[in-house]
Amino acid sequence: MVAYKSKMVERIRLPSREQRERNLEAAGYNLFNLSSEEVFVDLLTDSGTGAMSDAQWAALIRGDESYAGSRSFEELEEAVADVMGFSNVVPTHQGRGAENVLYGALLSAGDVVPNNTHFDTTRAHISNQDADPVDCPIDVAHDPDAEEPFKGNFSLERARAVVEEHGAERIPVVVQTITNNSAAGQAVSVENTRKVREFADEIDATFVIDACRFAENAYFVSQREEEFADASIADIAREQLGYADALVMSGKKDGLVNAGGFVATDDDALFEQCKQRAILYEGFPTYGGMAGRDVAAMAVGLREAVEDAYLEDRIEQVREFGAQLAAVGVPVYTPTSGHAVYVDAGELFPHLDAEEFPGQVLACELYREGGVRGVELGSFAFPDTDRPELVRLAVPRRTYHREHFDHVVETAEAVLEKRETVSGLQLASDPVMPEIRHFTAELEPVPSSQ
Ligand code: F0G
């Protein structure tokens, strides 16, 4: 059921078809190169793109900008303790700042780090410590059609194979990402989190939870895990996070703010180490790279994120969007995640090979037909992997309404109608860092063979 009404609005415009064609070409068929004013419905990411509540805006005005000992920081400490159950917090400018602080404290060269699936920045920060990030998803994670409730789970079987290969002493950290963004945003069960805790104990490793979308995950647990059918979302979230030794958090997701993040832990020694690194890379540990007002807004956002009415509105909106797309024949990954609908472009364009980037073609066609911006997460973003050719249509929190989604669905229908006639794309530039080429690389249409 809808839980919000608007108090402030932002004008959006649909550029004409001719403008969209020109914009696409000028952007090198890479939607990261578009100006936001050229986009009508922006589903590039759910990160930092949501609307804050009136209570958060009020907190912003009361934010305490003191360099040390800010009252806003105390509010954040209280919120993290109440909502997530951790007593020590180190604020950072966003999630990847928290990754740098925590993984720099925990890892040394040659270490190996299993995760259900590493998000791009997690992988990069672990590699940056000369350690080796290893993905341990369960088998069905990359099957867009399997109807299982917790496709985001961590595979203990794969992790044990990693221990066998490298030895437990080389694995000081085990990570679980909830929800599993890089595996179509799929949910993780509390039972699985408990097993990862046991596994970390067995090999004497620190257990880290990447908690970016912890509240959305807790909602799925309440719907899908029998043991928690009668538990409140807030209790589920605390229980699941409570198995970890430390959290890395991007406040731009379930902190319901536009900027911010933190590390949280009950381990006092680790906390001290993180504070030292935070001073080096982020700022004094009571603001850590955030303005005091943003810290204050995040403290309120964390509490709002676990409210039943918010989560019902949020998850139901994304689910319905996915169902609408499926109803007109768009192949969507099931079940729908909490933050995005993932479309299987490989199935949509069977005539395009992976080298012709079917996902990027779909992303561009959605822009061409309706000014909609999504993001490719297939062969263009992840070269040399055998992932499905997905396009993520991420839903900013508390931002868009039914009419916006109707427009995206009509746009997708227009793409479906011409699906057999669209041609592929090829790289037109060669970025220096292939792992992050999808942010900057330019493309061009593959010349037709006639
Ligand atoms: N971990 C996960 C699971 C994420 O999804 C992200 C960000 C981060 C860490 C890093 O957080 O952006 O605050 O530095 N995901 C965004 C996305 C960018 O679009 O999925 P950050």
Side-chain angles (χ1 to χ4, degrees):
M1 193 165 54
V2 68
Y4 300 95
K5 61 178 181 177
S6 306
K7 188 175 269 187
M8 189 187 283
V9 293
E10 181 179 344
R11 182 83 161 86
I12 54 171
R13 290 179 180 81
L14 176 63
S16 68
R17 171 170 283 271
E18 296 71 43
Q19 279 168 335
R20 299 197 300 269
E21 300 273 2
R22 274 201 304 275
N23 295 342
L24 254 189
E25 210 174 313
Y29 296 87
N30 185 333
L31 306 182
F32 281 102
N33 293 333
L34 291 173
S35 152
S36 66
E37 292 190 342
E38 295 167 347
V39 178
F40 187 50
V41 179
D42 202 347
L43 306 182
L44 186 66
T45 179
D46 64 316
S47 180
T49 51
M52 291 206 297
S53 68
D54 48 1
Q56 286 180 288
W57 281 101
L60 209 73
I61 289 170
R62 298 195 63 248
D64 178 358
E65 304 303 337
S66 303
Y67 190 95
S70 156
R71 190 192 59 244
S72 301
F73 174 68
E74 287 164 20
E75 288 163 11
L76 177 66
E77 280 186 310
E78 282 164 25
V80 171
D82 290 349
V83 175
M84 304 173 110
F86 286 81
S87 52
N88 299 316
V89 190
V90 181
T92 59
H93 72 283
Q94 60 184 86
R96 66 200 70 183
E99 292 175 336
N100 181 35
V101 164
L102 182 68
Y103 295 128
L106 288 174
L107 296 175
S108 313
D111 289 342
V112 178
V113 183
N115 188 336
N116 44 350
T117 315
H118 291 277
F119 179 68
D120 318 14
T121 58
T122 319
R123 191 183 304 282
H125 274 295
I126 288 169
S127 303
N128 200 33
Q129 301 300 327
D130 293 321
D132 188 10
V134 181
D135 289 340
C136 298
I138 57 170
D139 288 344
V140 290
H142 295 305
D143 174 355
D145 301 317
E147 273 292 347
E148 288 188 33
F150 294 108
K151 289 164 81 172
N153 277 355
F154 180 107
S155 165
L156 277 302
E157 205 182 320
R158 287 194 195 200
R160 293 218 158 85
V162 176
V163 176
E164 196 104 313
E165 190 185 341
H166 299 282
E169 60 292 343
R170 283 188 56 198
I171 310 177
V173 177
V174 176
V175 188
Q176 189 177 49
T177 305
I178 63 174
T179 55
N180 191 345
N181 186 19
S182 299
Q186 293 299 294
V188 172
S189 68
V190 173
E191 189 196 3
N192 187 247
T193 302
R194 280 189 195 125
K195 289 197 173 132
V196 176
R197 169 76 266 169
E198 285 166 19
F199 168 69
D201 285 340
E202 272 167 41
I203 62 166
D204 202 19
T206 301
F207 178 22
V208 176
I209 289 185
D210 177 334
C212 289
R213 300 179 179 85
F214 76 99
E216 291 170 5
N217 198 78
Y219 184 85
F220 286 126
V221 168
S222 79
Q223 301 287 300
R224 299 176 187 171
E225 198 166 356
E226 222 183 309
E227 180 188 340
F228 296 96
D230 300 322
S232 74
I233 310 272
D235 285 347
I236 294 168
R238 259 193 313 270
E239 160 138 13
Q240 188 162 34
L241 300 178
Y243 291 108
D245 298 305
L247 307 180
V248 274
M249 177 71 189
S250 167
K252 302 172 76 163
K253 286 85 171 174
D254 282 352
L256 301 181
V257 284
N258 303 115
F262 55 86
V263 174
T265 181
D266 281 344
D267 178 333
D268 292 338
L270 181 60
F271 179 47
E272 287 309 317
Q273 278 177 290
C274 288
K275 277 200 285 192
Q276 300 301 316
R277 281 185 65 82
I279 291 170
L280 205 59
Y281 292 107
E282 298 288 325
F284 189 76
T286 59
Y287 71 86
M290 295 176 74
R293 54 182 169 272
D294 289 334
V295 174
M298 187 161 72
V300 176
L302 278 175
R303 293 184 190 279
E304 291 179 354
V306 289
E307 283 173 10
D308 292 347
Y310 158 70
L311 279 166
E312 261 164 44
D313 176 280
R314 162 84 179 147
I315 306 282
E316 193 48 34
Q317 185 178 58
V318 180
R319 194 201 57 74
E320 197 172 315
F321 175 36
Q324 268 184 290
L325 284 169
V328 298
V330 177
V332 298
Y333 186 110
T334 52
T336 306
S337 82
H339 72 290
V341 176
Y342 293 71
V343 179
D344 186 351
E347 195 179 328
L348 195 67
F349 301 129
H351 62 290
L352 297 180
D353 294 336
E355 303 86 75
E356 295 173 297
F357 305 130
Q360 190 63 13
V361 170
L362 173 59
C364 288
E365 290 308 319
L366 288 170
Y367 179 74
R368 191 197 306 276
E369 293 301 323
V372 174
R373 174 157 73 170
V375 68
E376 195 263 10
L377 296 173
S379 302
F380 180 43
F382 304 106
D384 309 321
T385 59
D386 56 357
R387 297 178 190 225
E389 301 288 349
L390 298 181
V391 171
R392 184 183 76 173
L393 302 174
V395 179
R397 294 170 180 78
R398 306 187 291 205
T399 302
Y400 288 123
H401 307 298
R402 192 179 299 270
E403 290 81 357
H404 298 106
F405 297 107
D406 289 347
H407 171 81
V408 179
V409 173
E410 279 163 28
T411 301
E413 277 187 289
V415 176
L416 277 176
E417 262 165 44
K418 59 173 206 180
R419 65 201 283 181
E420 276 141 31
T421 64
V422 303
S423 54
L425 291 166
Q426 62 189 26
L427 285 173
S429 71
D430 211 3
V432 193
M433 293 177 73
E435 318 86 70
I436 50 169
R437 68 177 185 187
H438 56 296
F439 293 113
T440 55
E442 302 210 338
L443 300 111
E444 61 194 8
V446 172
S448 76
S449 49
Q450 292 100 2

